[in-house]
Amino acid sequence: MYRYIFLFTLVLFPTIYGLAQDDALVPCGTSKIVEEALKNPEKKQIMDQLELFTQEFIANWSEQRKASNQITIPVVVHVIHNYGNENISYEQIDQGIARINEDFNGLNDDLSEVIDSFTNIIGYPEMKFRLATIDPDGNPTYGVTRTASLFYENTDSDDVMSLINWDSKKYVNIYVVRSFDANMSSAAAYATKPGNGGELGDYIFCRYDYFGDWNVNTDSGPTENNARRHTLPHEMGHFFNLDHPWGGTNSPGDTDANCTIDDGVEDTPPTAGTDGNAVGCPLNQTTCGDELDNVQNIMDYSSCAHMFTQGQSVRMLAAAESFAGNRYYLWQDQNLIATGTDDAHFLDQPHANCAPIPDFISDIDLGCENEEISFADFTYNYRNQNITYTWNFEGGDASSTSDPNPVVMYPNSGTYDVSLTTCNGNNCNTIVKENYITILSKKQVSLEEGVTNLQSFESNSFPNMTETNEIWWLGDNFNQQHWEITNLASTEGGSSYRIKSQGYNANRRSHEFSSPQLDLSEFSTSSDNTLQICFDYAYAKRLPYFEFTQTDNPHSIHNDALVVSYKTSCDANWNERPRLSTRPGQEGSFLNKQEQLITTDSVYFNNFIPNEDQWRTYCLNIQQLAGSSEAVIKFEFKGTGTDIDDTYLVADENGAFITEISAGTIGGNWLYIDNIAIGNESSFEEISSTRNSTIENLVISPNPSSNDNVLASLNLNRESEVKVTLTSFLGRVIGSKHINLNKGHNDLSISDIFNIPNQGSFILEISTSNTRLSNIIIIR
Ligand SMILES: [Zn+2]
């Protein structure tokens, strides 16, 4: 007795026999997709044409037609992975394809378990599935591609197909991923019926642990698990236009709905279908009348799937013979030759000249001088050949090696490329990963300096700052909007750093950068005067939206956050400090201490550029780093970006319903950061008291005076631009000018600045953004 694991498929398009059903087993996303597909007249037309063809094909069917031509179908398996065990082995892929071939040719050994009532209707279309041995470019292949991508989990089929797709008129594209997004999260696999795919054609998607009944934990098999064993054949059944035995819905066991619809197959009796998850294998089941349900059918959901019927077999062959849905092109002789699945090529060492395709990862990509970094080989498109490796490590020790999985150290800070060439004889491929390894530089932070500015984003060469030989680390951009230097706003110098989450996929990724290795050994570990990091930041909402359900505590639904973490040494773990978040207190560390990321009440549709008042200074205690000689501080932007699965009810600030909105259409606004500084708390306090520009001791001399000899003196607490205005007693402006003055004492010749009348009383006003002083000038 095997543990039964439920499997079901998405029927992207209901057949003419049935309507889409809402069902507890299918996440709401399915009905949305079906609704979308229903609106597509071209797809509906293909389905209608294929059905007409199929009915005629069945009416004219005779067994003799099949006898002479077993058709061959070329297949490619696209493995989408993140270097985990979802990157399934060739052995597992072989087994999955073998399981399809067994079931489609009546060779599955569990066919013997079919009960007497059904043995006379067993059928199989005698289709042969072969992994392609020639790729679309004409190169030798094992018929398996391996793509490292963040789309390996929570997968949406459109995202994955945009990564890789072979012509669907020539190959059956089977995609393997770790998990599906919320629309399909409870499915093991799904397929398109003929013509139901989008621009890139039809496909099958399968979770890595349902690709054959392979033990994915030990990478050995088979397990004989009934559901897993027949998952791919079930999907291939859909791919060749089969419905579930009750019809085109996804609600097995629903007597009311399913007994009145049909699967278009003569010899599968009307059935409500079998919810195997609940009832296992009820061989005596009669759900729609007296006739015994064909519970052992591969297209049902029982825990004893073993067979197709003759009717199903003919229906699949009809799909294969039809132009409607493109299945006809797959098995034509010229396509078998083009894909290397014809006997002559396929049976004659088709892989001898396969060029291995290199790929690799390292255990860390942010390191310190002379730290050991391990590289792991992920080369594919070879199996039993002895292949050669040529690594090149720019700046590394060693700088090259032929070891498949080398360990390398980097003596000097810098950002370095890594390349790997792999060869099968003279058949080679090379991959270069640019700026793949960053070795942080070391930076001494002086206690005496008080507050040390770490970064104000003024260098054109940031993060690899050639002027100061500082190496900062800039993490992976994941092909998304990443941190970028901008001169649109700043609080120190002319530039700042910014990022926004618009355009991200549903998988939230951290966009990171980090400081060099900071030597903070001068700072006391026992001080009450704690070590702090302070920075300026600005962030605005993009839309005035609030969560309708939380009107008592409305907040932006857009879940953006800025997280600062540190580590005390190169190989220590990161420690997160309280984050700034649009939803403080919802996730992360120190929930109670988190603060609001939004720095302005104003809303900007898209292009927030902060003015002076919209910046905020934020300081974090990093006393844990005091005394460390190799501290690293990391900034992470965690944006949600598009979140296709969520629909929000939007309310105004009074809680009144405005509209329903898909979060997929919303991105966050820009987050700016500038002026990152480090120092003791007391030093920052001193700075903030001097931050505001203030004028003191405005004195006019001599006074009274003549109009060609007026001198004003004043003190400034910092270098500032001041505004100097001279008006008459009646308020008439005689002149107004902006002048840059130095810190400390300044003498201004007012007679040189303005053309002063030769008699009268006047008011001289000198102001900064923070203070304003005035004095009377008497001219005689
Ligand atoms: Zn299905």
Side-chain angles (χ1 to χ4, degrees):
M1 175 86 185
Y2 301 105
R3 191 167 70 89
Y4 180 74
I5 294 168
F6 201 76
L7 73 105
F8 56 90
T9 188
L10 165 72
V11 179
L12 279 173
F13 206 80
T15 68
I16 56 171
Y17 307 106
L19 295 169
Q21 299 280 315
D22 283 332
D23 187 276
L25 295 167
V26 186
C28 60
T30 301
S31 55
K32 282 184 201 162
I33 293 176
V34 171
E35 272 171 34
E36 284 308 305
L38 266 171
K39 292 175 196 159
N40 186 321
E42 285 171 30
K43 291 179 185 176
K44 181 158 183 355
Q45 192 180 16
I46 292 170
M47 294 296 285
D48 291 347
Q49 285 172 350
L50 178 56
E51 198 52 43
L52 282 174
F53 179 90
T54 298
Q55 293 309 322
E56 199 183 319
F57 187 89
I58 291 170
N60 295 311
W61 173 255
S62 67
E63 273 301 313
Q64 289 83 342
R65 270 187 77 175
K66 185 168 91 176
S68 59
N69 57 31
Q70 183 191 29
I71 64 174
T72 298
I73 306 290
V75 174
V76 57
V77 176
H78 302 295
V79 181
I80 313 298
H81 68 94
N82 192 29
Y83 303 102
N85 63 348
E86 70 279 353
N87 186 18
I88 60 175
S89 65
Y90 286 110
E91 289 73 22
Q92 181 176 350
I93 292 169
D94 284 348
Q95 199 236 10
I97 301 299
R99 289 309 197 196
I100 304 175
N101 278 315
E102 287 174 9
D103 288 3
F104 273 67
N105 290 278
L107 298 173
N108 48 315
D109 57 19
D110 62 356
L111 193 60
S112 62
E113 294 177 34
V114 171
I115 58 175
D116 289 349
S117 314
F118 302 132
T119 49
N120 63 326
I121 56 167
I122 290 174
Y124 32 87
E126 294 188 61
M127 294 182 190
K128 195 190 299 180
F129 296 86
R130 283 178 170 170
L131 288 167
T133 71
I134 299 175
D135 76 11
D137 297 325
N139 297 314
T141 175
Y142 281 90
V144 176
T145 71
R146 299 181 186 276
T147 304
S149 168
L150 296 177
F151 296 141
Y152 78 107
E153 64 177 355
N154 301 326
T155 293
D156 170 72
S157 53
D158 285 345
D159 287 341
V160 167
M161 292 176 79
S162 71
L163 296 174
I164 187 162
N165 177 258
W166 289 10
D167 184 346
S168 66
K169 280 188 182 174
K170 299 175 75 175
Y171 307 86
V172 179
N173 286 273
I174 304 181
Y175 292 87
V176 180
V177 299
R178 184 163 199 92
S179 59
F180 301 134
D181 70 9
N183 283 342
M184 304 291 170
S185 60
S186 33
Y190 56 93
T192 50
K193 290 174 72 179
N196 282 358
E199 220 168 277
L200 294 175
D202 291 332
Y203 54 78
I204 294 172
F205 268 75
C206 187
R207 256 172 53 172
Y208 81 109
D209 51 348
Y210 280 82
F211 197 101
D213 50 308
W214 198 249
N215 186 329
V216 292
N217 296 317
T218 59
D219 191 22
S220 61
T223 66
E224 311 280 351
N225 174 285
N226 184 269
R228 285 180 158 81
R229 175 173 181 168
H230 299 289
T231 295
L232 279 173
H234 176 111
E235 299 311 326
M236 197 60 84
H238 285 312
F239 191 85
F240 281 94
N241 203 29
L242 291 191
D243 279 328
H244 297 135
W246 61 89
T249 72
N250 202 3
S251 54
D254 186 340
T255 308
D256 291 344
N258 295 347
C259 287
T260 56
I261 57 176
D262 187 33
D263 62 350
V265 176
E266 191 89 18
D267 57 7
T268 55
T271 173
T274 310
D275 180 356
N277 209 26
V279 298
C281 176
L283 288 172
N284 299 320
Q285 178 172 281
T286 53
T287 50
C288 303
D290 297 337
E291 226 179 327
L292 200 57
D293 290 357
N294 185 211
V295 164
Q296 293 180 308
N297 198 290
I298 287 169
M299 299 310 291
D300 204 341
Y301 284 166
S302 79
S303 61
C304 52
H306 301 303
M307 62 175 286
F308 291 118
T309 68
Q310 290 161 18
Q312 287 174 320
S313 166
V314 177
R315 197 173 162 81
M316 287 193 270
L317 287 169
E321 292 275 1
S322 175
F323 295 108
N326 294 335
R327 301 294 181 265
Y328 176 81
Y329 302 103
L330 291 168
W331 52 275
Q332 299 307 304
D333 285 345
Q334 66 189 57
N335 190 50
L336 300 188
I337 291 166
T339 57
T341 49
D342 59 309
D343 281 353
H345 188 78
F346 191 82
L347 302 174
D348 185 27
Q349 298 195 326
H351 305 118
N353 292 319
C354 278
I357 300 173
D359 190 19
F360 61 86
I361 53 170
S362 59
D363 58 346
I364 51 174
D365 56 358
L366 163 64
C368 303
E369 291 174 4
N370 294 317
E371 189 178 5
E372 287 191 338
I373 300 179
S374 300
F375 289 83
D377 168 43
F378 278 87
T379 299
Y380 69 96
N381 206 35
Y382 80 99
R383 289 188 69 168
N384 301 314
Q385 299 95 338
N386 288 319
I387 65 166
T388 60
Y389 293 80
T390 308
W391 293 85
N392 278 298
F393 300 103
E394 179 195 10
D397 181 11
S399 62
S400 73
T401 176
S402 59
D403 185 341
N405 296 293
V407 176
V408 180
M409 296 194 300
Y410 291 81
N412 300 307
S413 63
T415 304
Y416 301 111
D417 296 350
V418 177
S419 77
L420 171 61
T421 301
T422 53
C423 300
N424 165 28
N426 292 323
N427 303 300
C428 303
N429 281 303
T430 296
I431 185 171
V432 180
K433 297 198 178 184
E434 291 182 353
N435 300 327
Y436 187 69
I437 297 289
T438 296
I439 305 297
L440 295 175
S441 59
K442 291 178 175 164
K443 182 182 173 75
Q444 171 80 35
V445 180
S446 154
L447 175 63
E448 234 173 76
E449 210 170 304
V451 166
T452 300
N453 181 286
L454 287 182
Q455 187 57 252
S456 50
F457 305 102
E458 301 304 311
S459 168
N460 290 329
S461 57
F462 181 86
N464 194 343
M465 299 165 69
T466 47
E467 311 89 332
T468 53
N469 291 322
E470 271 180 43
I471 305 293
W472 288 60
W473 173 69
L474 186 50
D476 199 331
N477 65 15
F478 304 112
N479 296 315
Q480 299 173 335
Q481 171 67 53
H482 203 36
W483 289 99
E484 64 178 31
I485 288 191
T486 177
N487 57 14
L488 291 171
S490 81
T491 59
E492 183 73 29
S495 311
S496 62
Y497 220 27
R498 70 171 188 171
I499 192 167
K500 72 172 172 178
S501 63
Q502 188 178 20
Y504 291 178
N505 61 74
N507 295 326
R508 188 194 310 185
R509 296 294 154 187
S510 283
H511 287 256
E512 306 172 310
F513 67 91
S514 92
S515 73
Q517 257 192 303
L518 305 174
D519 184 345
L520 302 167
S521 50
E522 290 183 14
F523 291 84
S524 166
T525 55
S526 59
S527 172
D528 289 339
N529 189 7
T530 56
L531 185 64
Q532 291 196 334
I533 186 162
C534 297
F535 53 89
D536 301 329
Y537 75 96
Y539 177 92
K541 288 180 287 187
R542 186 165 174 253
L543 290 172
Y545 42 77
F546 299 87
E547 270 193 33
F548 191 70
T549 52
Q550 297 198 30
T551 48
D552 291 343
N553 179 26
H555 46 254
S556 164
I557 61 166
H558 207 81
N559 194 3
D560 285 350
L562 177 64
V563 183
V564 177
S565 307
Y566 65 76
K567 54 182 182 176
T568 51
S569 67
C570 212
D571 48 8
N573 294 323
W574 293 107
N575 286 294
E576 182 179 325
R577 300 305 299 146
R579 64 179 60 186
L580 295 161
S581 171
T582 53
R583 306 167 78 169
Q586 302 274 314
E587 56 184 275
S589 303
F590 303 103
L591 295 178
N592 296 332
K593 293 188 173 176
Q594 295 178 3
E595 294 189 23
Q596 180 54 253
L597 184 69
I598 300 166
T599 60
T600 173
D601 290 335
S602 303
V603 171
Y604 297 81
F605 174 64
N606 212 357
N607 281 317
F608 172 53
I609 300 173
N611 65 36
E612 214 173 284
D613 299 331
Q614 289 169 324
W615 288 88
R616 187 189 162 209
T617 302
Y618 185 61
C619 293
L620 282 165
N621 179 332
I622 51 167
Q623 178 61 19
Q624 285 292 316
L625 295 181
S628 165
S629 60
E630 43 185 34
V632 186
I633 299 169
K634 180 173 74 173
F635 292 79
E636 276 178 274
F637 176 69
K638 289 174 179 285
T640 46
T642 56
D643 193 357
I644 55 169
D645 308 314
D646 290 332
T647 301
Y648 293 94
L649 300 175
V650 182
D652 66 17
E653 291 177 49
N654 302 317
F657 175 78
I658 299 173
T659 184
E660 187 176 306
I661 191 165
S662 158
T665 64
I666 313 170
N669 219 321
W670 290 103
L671 166 69
Y672 292 77
I673 182 168
D674 201 4
N675 196 18
I676 300 170
I678 191 168
N680 279 329
E681 191 176 3
S682 63
S683 309
F684 276 113
E685 278 166 8
E686 271 171 45
I687 277 211
S688 82
S689 69
T690 59
R691 200 157 207 153
N692 294 333
S693 171
T694 51
I695 309 165
E696 290 172 333
N697 299 329
L698 176 60
V699 176
I700 308 294
S701 64
N703 202 8
S705 173
S706 63
N707 68 343
D708 58 355
N709 188 28
V710 182
L711 198 68
S713 67
L714 61 123
N715 281 316
L716 268 179
N717 70 327
R718 53 178 279 188
E719 181 184 337
S720 317
E721 186 187 78
V722 300
K723 187 179 177 190
V724 183
T725 309
L726 187 69
T727 55
S728 72
F729 251 91
L730 295 173
R732 183 172 65 86
V733 176
I734 292 159
S736 183
K737 270 193 174 165
H738 289 267
I739 298 172
N740 283 315
L741 295 181
N742 296 324
K743 180 181 175 180
H745 184 85
N746 288 272
D747 287 322
L748 282 177
S749 171
I750 303 302
S751 307
D752 291 344
I753 299 173
F754 301 119
N755 197 7
I756 308 174
N758 58 16
Q759 198 176 339
S761 295
F762 306 92
I763 298 168
L764 179 73
E765 180 183 284
I766 300 186
S767 61
T768 66
S769 54
N770 304 106
T771 54
R772 176 184 306 172
L773 287 183
S774 56
N775 219 329
I776 295 170
I777 301 175
I778 298 166
I779 306 291
R780 287 183 177 151

